[in-house]
Amino acid sequence: MILLETNPELKNILFDFSEPGKIDLAAFMAQNYRFNVDLNRFAYLTGRSLATFKRDFERIFNISPNRWIQQQRLKDAYFLIKEKKHKVSDVYINVGFKDLSHFSFAFKKAYGVAPSAV
């Protein structure tokens, strides 16, 4: 109380009960889902254990992290191929897929056509 009385600007520091070390998961993922890193790394970068990362992620997005990441990457890929007329061989790496065959399989499953047919 003495610290607070002498330095009222310490109020936000002394009474900050937010979870330490955790950053805004939704904002972080919106900025970084294109990076081809595993969930352990995303968890670490957001200040969480893997289990906490998955739990927080599903609470925020109502979907598993792997499915959400794939959906976001596929949306970006569809936009780049259809609207921007980018080559499929350039797009899959830019949106975070490791290889073309996995990208093509996931794209066809999501959109019903091969990426080269868009």
Side-chain angles (χ1 to χ4, degrees):
M1 290 307 289
I2 295 171
L3 279 174
L4 193 56
E5 286 178 15
T6 58
N7 295 319
E9 65 274 2
L10 292 177
K11 177 183 138 198
N12 292 334
I13 296 169
L14 294 173
F15 296 103
D16 180 10
F17 298 110
S18 62
E19 298 181 65
K22 288 186 179 181
I23 63 171
D24 181 357
L25 184 60
F28 179 84
M29 291 306 295
Q31 291 289 318
N32 297 292
Y33 66 86
R34 288 177 204 87
F35 291 106
N36 191 2
V37 298
D38 64 16
L39 292 184
N40 283 317
R41 190 71 178 155
F42 279 130
Y44 172 78
L45 293 171
T46 60
R48 293 165 171 82
S49 68
L50 180 58
T52 302
F53 174 81
K54 287 178 179 180
R55 189 170 41 253
D56 288 353
F57 195 98
E58 290 193 30
R59 183 176 41 80
I60 293 167
F61 293 102
N62 296 318
I63 190 171
S64 74
N66 285 324
R67 294 222 14 101
W68 183 87
I69 290 168
Q70 185 176 57
Q71 286 176 357
Q72 298 308 307
R73 290 174 178 173
L74 289 171
K75 284 179 196 175
D76 286 353
Y78 186 85
F79 174 77
L80 291 172
I81 294 167
K82 176 104 173 141
E83 302 299 326
K84 298 292 185 175
K85 308 296 185 207
H86 288 204
K87 294 179 187 175
V88 174
S89 58
D90 295 333
V91 168
Y92 82 94
I93 292 173
N94 291 337
V95 298
F97 281 88
K98 289 182 183 179
D99 59 71
L100 182 57
S101 63
H102 180 256
F103 168 70
S104 295
F105 178 79
F107 192 95
K108 187 170 184 173
K109 187 175 179 183
Y111 294 105
V113 295
S116 57
V118 173

